[in-house]
Amino acid sequence: GAVVSQHPSRVICKSGTSVKIECRSLDFQATTMFWYRQFPKQSLMLMATSNEGSKATYEQGVEKDKFLINHASLTLSTLTVTSAHPEDSSFYICSARHRLGYEQYFGPGTRLTVT
Amino acid sequence: SQQGEEDPQALSIQEGENATMNCSYKTSINNLQWYRQNSGRGLVHLILIRSNEREKHSGRLRVTLDTSKKSSSLLITASRAADTASYFCATDGAGTALIFGKGTTLSVSS
């Protein structure tokens, strides 16, 4: 089956620093990747849609200058949380849609804690 | 953005009982999917039902879809303690991102 990885799985950073999260499709090409955020005891909220080679599309209320998304290849998208604050602490999950179909495959998530 | 609601928000049952969760959504869909998430972990895909299907089974899972009411239900039969998790429905339109409902937290006690 299609596998999506995320790195790191957990990260703790100090307030004001930036942290990068990688999302990789390991055995398929993904023209589109999606980034979600999940706060404790809540559902997944779509943050942005990332298309290979073009600018990401952000959902309303998500600051594009704070959450930088780069999708430079068909197997890698990165999310950089800039100038992180404690309220950015959350579970970040990516998904990748196969180039040839509609199915999405989810990564295992990255737990970000900002101290 | 969120597509809709699941109900109940929380459900507690005994092992062996059936658990039913409902999901409502707002817009037209291509398909609806159900996912399970254990506390602090990633998503596990359970089942996908297409908009032209009304019912689908997979093991102890039964999913129904009523597009006229924009609703779906997930039935887990003969629950086990290992079924304890949060359950989310997710919908997509024409190849767009999956939009998740708020989820139902299921607790199965032995």
Side-chain angles (χ1 to χ4, degrees), chain A residues 34 36 38 43 97 102 104 106, chain B residues 2 35 37 95-98 101:
Chain A
F34 305 95
Y36 295 83
Q38 184 181 32
S43 185
R97 189 168 70 209
Y102 285 136
Q104 292 183 34
F106 284 84
Chain B
Q2 261 175 324
Y35 288 84
Q37 185 181 37
T96 59
L98 288 176

Side-chain angles (χ1 to χ4, degrees), chain A residues 10 32 34 36 38 41-46 49 59 91 93 95 97 102-109 111, chain B residues 1-2 30-31 33 35 37 39-43 48 50 88 92 94-103:
Chain A
R10 288 178 177 270
T32 305
F34 305 95
Y36 295 83
Q38 184 181 32
K41 300 191 186 303
Q42 294 188 24
S43 185
L44 283 76
M45 296 295 291
L46 179 66
T49 300
E59 294 298 299
F91 194 49
I93 303 175
S95 72
R97 189 168 70 209
Y102 285 136
E103 289 185 15
Q104 292 183 34
Y105 302 94
F106 284 84
R111 173 83 50 200
Chain B
S1 59
Q2 261 175 324
N30 276 352
N31 59 63
Q33 303 182 54
Y35 288 84
Q37 185 181 37
S39 182
R41 307 293 294 272
L43 296 173
L48 178 152
R50 302 194 187 283
F88 298 94
D92 70 349
T96 59
L98 288 176
I99 303 299
F100 286 80
K102 293 185 178 180

Side-chain angles (χ1 to χ4, degrees), chain A residues 45-97:
Chain A
M45 296 295 291
L46 179 66
M47 298 177 67
T49 300
S50 163
N51 289 300
E52 186 263 339
S54 62
K55 289 184 179 180
T57 302
Y58 292 81
E59 294 298 299
Q60 193 171 9
V62 178
E63 300 174 58
K64 62 180 181 181
D65 294 330
K66 181 169 181 63
F67 298 99
L68 301 179
I69 292 172
N70 184 281
H71 191 164
S73 79
L74 286 172
T75 59
L76 174 64
S77 176
T78 60
L79 167 68
T80 302
V81 183
T82 63
S83 186
H85 291 282
E87 56 265 32
D88 298 323
S89 297
S90 189
F91 194 49
Y92 291 86
I93 303 175
C94 73
S95 72
R97 189 168 70 209

